[in-house]
Amino acid sequence: GTFSGVCNDSGVIYVSDTSHVAVTVLTTWDHAAVRRDPIAAWRRATEIDNAFGMIGLAAYESFA
C-alpha cells in the first residue's frame, strides 16, 4: 500500500509452470517535500510504482 511517505508492494512472479519468485519491496520517501503539491505527490508515487515494475522485471529476467 501507499500512504504519506511509505510505499510497499509484494507479489509472486510466475517464471514458468514450475518456477516462481516471491518479491517484496518496502520504501520510504520524503512526503514533506511534496505534501502541498498533489501533482508532485502523484508523480513521486508513480515513479516508485515504475521502480517496482522494473524490480519485478529484473527478478523475472534473472530467473527465466
Side-chain angles (χ1 to χ4, degrees), residues 15-52:
V15 179
S16 70
D17 290 340
T18 59
S19 179
H20 58 276
V21 176
V23 178
T24 299
V25 182
L26 309 170
T27 66
T28 59
W29 50 287
D30 183 12
H31 179 68
V34 296
R35 180 178 327 170
R36 291 185 167 78
D37 185 349
I39 300 295
W42 175 81
R43 284 183 182 142
R44 180 73 48 89
T46 300
E47 290 168 353
I48 292 169
D49 285 343
N50 286 337
F52 287 173

